Amino acid sequence: MRVITTLVVLAGFLHQILAPPSLAETDERAKEKRQFATATSSATTVQTTVTATVKPAGACSASTPIVKNGDFETGTLGPWELTRVQPPLPDYEQYLSVGVGSPGCGGSNNAFTVKDNAASSHVEVELSQQNVTVCAASQYKFAAQFYMTDAKAIPSPQTHVLVYVDGKLIASSKASDATGPPVVWLPLTGTFVGGSSTATLSVKFIVTDYLGVEWGLDDVVITNV
């Protein structure tokens, strides 16, 4: 009798364990799973805000005047430099005069001048200003006043004024620009696009197989267009 009672109790216990859950229990467990999933999802959701600073177009601006001492009114060359002189100084200084002198264009006090006093049949003088501040991809206009006179008062195709920016030719004189005395100031213009944040401006005065030429340069400006 005691054995039978034990078996009955054991059978009841196994039924509780192995019996499928009731419908109410199933709904409760499903509800608990949904609540757990919602809580997990909320815990792992992260909101990220990214802030980017965009530089507006045209924000670059070069200081003015872009060309320093472009009118040579300081009475000195700086910050201009003589980067080439042929024939070399001081060997030919008694024949070739290079520097700041008067008169300037429009009655101003000074201009840059080159005077070939029949020293050589080939004269080449390069005046440069480095680290000219510009903006990359921006377009600029170069403008200056110049003159070329020669002892023979005959226009010469061998006399030149050439303007370069970073080694690229942007402006040049014409053969008819070379005239005899008196001095006649003429405009010289060109355009270029800035390649980086700085540029090198160079003006070359050249004569080949010709003697007694004089040049003047004044009012050199670069403007953004």
Side-chain angles (χ1 to χ4, degrees):
M1 182 67 178
R2 186 175 298 175
V3 174
I4 294 174
T5 302
T6 302
L7 290 176
V8 171
V9 172
L10 180 61
F13 176 74
L14 290 177
H15 175 75
Q16 291 179 356
I17 296 176
L18 298 179
S22 65
L23 183 60
E25 292 175 341
T26 302
D27 291 342
E28 185 64 25
R29 291 181 182 180
K31 181 178 180 181
E32 291 175 355
K33 289 182 178 180
R34 287 195 299 271
Q35 290 176 346
F36 177 77
T38 301
T40 303
S41 176
S42 300
T44 56
T45 299
V46 178
Q47 182 176 357
T48 303
T49 302
V50 178
T51 303
T53 301
V54 179
K55 187 176 182 179
C60 174
S61 62
S63 60
T64 56
I66 296 176
V67 177
K68 312 303 181 187
N69 195 24
D71 56 8
F72 304 99
E73 289 303 293
T74 63
T76 61
L77 274 182
W80 296 93
E81 299 176 276
L82 289 173
T83 46
R84 178 173 173 78
V85 178
Q86 175 65 37
L89 299 176
D91 297 348
Y92 289 84
E93 195 165 5
Q94 67 270 36
Y95 304 114
L96 183 64
S97 301
V98 179
V100 176
S102 59
C105 179
S108 63
N109 293 325
N110 295 307
F112 175 76
T113 60
V114 178
K115 299 178 182 180
D116 170 29
N117 300 315
S120 172
S121 60
H122 180 90
V123 172
E124 182 175 347
V125 174
E126 182 179 59
L127 180 69
S128 299
Q129 188 168 140
Q130 303 182 38
N131 299 319
V132 176
T133 302
V134 295
C135 298
S138 293
Q139 187 171 18
Y140 293 89
K141 179 181 179 180
F142 165 89
Q145 296 289 324
F146 80 105
Y147 70 81
M148 294 189 300
T149 64
D150 59 74
K152 297 181 180 179
I154 300 173
S156 170
Q158 298 170 332
T159 307
H160 311 277
V161 175
L162 308 173
V163 182
Y164 297 83
V165 172
D166 291 336
K168 182 179 179 180
L169 181 66
I170 65 166
S172 61
S173 61
K174 305 183 297 294
S176 60
D177 292 335
T179 62
V183 167
V184 178
W185 288 95
L186 301 170
L188 185 63
T189 62
T191 60
F192 68 95
V193 176
S196 63
S197 60
T198 60
T200 297
L201 171 66
S202 300
V203 184
K204 293 184 179 182
F205 308 87
I206 301 175
V207 63
T208 58
D209 196 25
Y210 202 67
L211 303 175
V213 178
E214 180 179 338
W215 296 269
L217 179 71
D218 204 0
D219 297 338
V220 182
V221 295
I222 290 177
T223 53
N224 187 233
V225 295

